[in-house]
Amino acid sequence: MTRKYLMVGNWKMNQTLSEIDTFFKTLNEVGVKYSCDMKIGIAPQAMHLSTCLNKIGTTDIVIGSQTCSEYEGGAYTGELAPKALKELGCGFTLIGHSERRTIYGETDKEINAKTANALSSDLDVILCIGETLEEREAGKTIEVVMSQLEGALTKGEKAIEFTGNQLTIAYEPVWAIGTGKTASPEQAEEVHAEIRKFLKATYGDAGQDIFILYGGSVKPANVKELLAQPNIDGGLVGGASLEAESFAALCNATK
Ligand code: PGA
């Protein structure tokens, strides 16, 4: 089955066990069209990965992690080893989310190492990039986004190797995350088109097939116009992914 879009819920530090139970029951009742063009992912808190893997049953949902370690394994208290995530049944990991970059000080160097480590453990990577409001207002959006892409993918210490859809980019303007302010479809498309140019220049034809997700206050009311843009291949969604009804509406939204 050829998938055209990818919709990923980033649950962040939300959802208790009982809320997860309700989420999947409701999702089942509301109904997601798993045969549509939308590939679906959910990234719960690490301690709920197994629960979610059990709850997805025969649905088409892929479960992933919100971050992972740059190291293969060993004495790194609190960290998540990609190969263990893979063995558990996870399909992907987010890397470089703006909350990881700003709150936990993740650097491009670490993001490059994490990306290399996850891909070499056969875990798909959703690499998150995006500018702050200050950077946008200073006219530096493209410069910032390109430097994050280069830092993670082409100018880091570790070589990044992948095949097919193992790598996905999520453009998430920091000023739009959790604020209710969405980039307009045109604002988002402008950046996505530049990201596409970079990916094609770097990876040739393979760069055309890399999914580029938009994130930042995506909700049922704005998802269709975002997906209608030629270089927006889906969404990375925080708030609106927590309730099964709105997540189902996002997953069922295709062009
Ligand atoms: P939001 O979060 O949808 O709540 O803005 C998106 C994200 O941080 O991935």
Side-chain angles (χ1 to χ4, degrees), residues 2 7 10 13 15 33 67-68 76 86 94 114 145 147 170 181 183 191 222 225-226 233 239-240:
T2 314
M7 191 59 65
N10 172 14
M13 204 172 75
Q15 306 286 51
K33 293 181 227 147
T67 182
C68 75
Y76 300 102
K86 178 71 188 178
L94 307 181
K114 286 175 178 220
V145 162
S147 132
K181 282 187 209 154
V191 183
N222 60 24
E225 45 179 16
L226 287 163
D233 308 311

Side-chain angles (χ1 to χ4, degrees), residues 201-217:
T202 310
Y203 303 113
D205 285 349
Q208 184 60 45
D209 296 334
I210 296 175
F211 280 82
I212 309 175
L213 311 183
Y214 168 78
S217 300

Side-chain angles (χ1 to χ4, degrees), residues 1-225:
M1 182 165 39
T2 314
R3 286 354 224 289
K4 292 189 190 150
Y5 308 104
L6 173 60
M7 191 59 65
V8 180
N10 172 14
W11 283 356
K12 310 189 180 185
M13 204 172 75
N14 296 299
Q15 306 286 51
T16 61
L17 262 189
S18 58
E19 286 165 346
I20 290 175
D21 201 40
T22 307
F23 178 92
F24 281 103
K25 270 192 199 133
T26 313
L27 196 69
N28 210 16
E29 283 158 22
V30 177
V32 170
K33 293 181 227 147
Y34 293 108
S35 61
C36 71
D37 289 331
M38 194 76 82
K39 186 174 173 183
I40 301 165
I42 293 179
Q45 297 184 73
M47 81 281 243
H48 295 316
L49 287 167
S50 288
T51 301
C52 291
L53 284 160
N54 287 330
K55 297 259 182 218
I56 53 173
T58 55
T59 68
D60 228 4
I61 300 174
V62 183
I63 300 297
S65 167
Q66 297 175 8
T67 182
C68 75
S69 174
E70 68 211 84
Y71 302 109
E72 276 181 42
Y76 300 102
T77 303
E79 290 293 306
L80 301 168
K83 71 172 180 218
L85 291 168
K86 178 71 188 178
E87 192 190 58
L88 192 67
C90 290
F92 69 92
T93 179
L94 307 181
I95 292 183
H97 189 279
S98 71
E99 286 148 21
R100 301 290 323 165
R101 291 178 192 258
T102 55
I103 306 172
Y104 300 102
E106 260 180 32
T107 61
D108 280 340
K109 185 171 187 270
E110 285 158 349
I111 289 164
N112 163 254
K114 286 175 178 220
T115 303
N117 193 21
L119 289 170
S120 69
S121 303
D122 206 18
L123 206 55
D124 292 357
V125 167
I126 300 179
L127 172 68
C128 307
I129 55 175
E131 82 288 1
T132 61
L133 186 58
E134 210 180 16
E135 289 162 343
R136 174 162 282 265
E137 285 174 351
K140 291 188 172 160
T141 299
I142 302 301
E143 189 187 316
V144 167
V145 162
M146 289 303 132
S147 132
Q148 289 171 335
L149 281 172
E150 286 171 355
L153 301 175
T154 56
K155 293 195 173 158
E157 271 170 31
K158 307 268 179 173
I160 301 300
E161 283 163 18
F162 60 94
T163 53
N165 287 130
Q166 282 185 313
L167 177 69
T168 291
I169 308 297
Y171 167 59
E172 300 200 296
V174 178
W175 49 272
I177 295 177
T179 57
K181 282 187 209 154
T182 322
S184 68
E186 296 71 27
Q187 275 175 325
E189 172 59 21
E190 192 189 344
V191 183
H192 280 233
E194 290 297 321
I195 297 171
R196 179 70 67 208
K197 252 193 240 167
F198 170 91
L199 295 172
K200 285 209 289 203
T202 310
Y203 303 113
D205 285 349
Q208 184 60 45
D209 296 334
I210 296 175
F211 280 82
I212 309 175
L213 311 183
Y214 168 78
S217 300
V218 175
K219 41 190 181 265
N222 60 24
V223 67
K224 284 206 174 173
E225 45 179 16

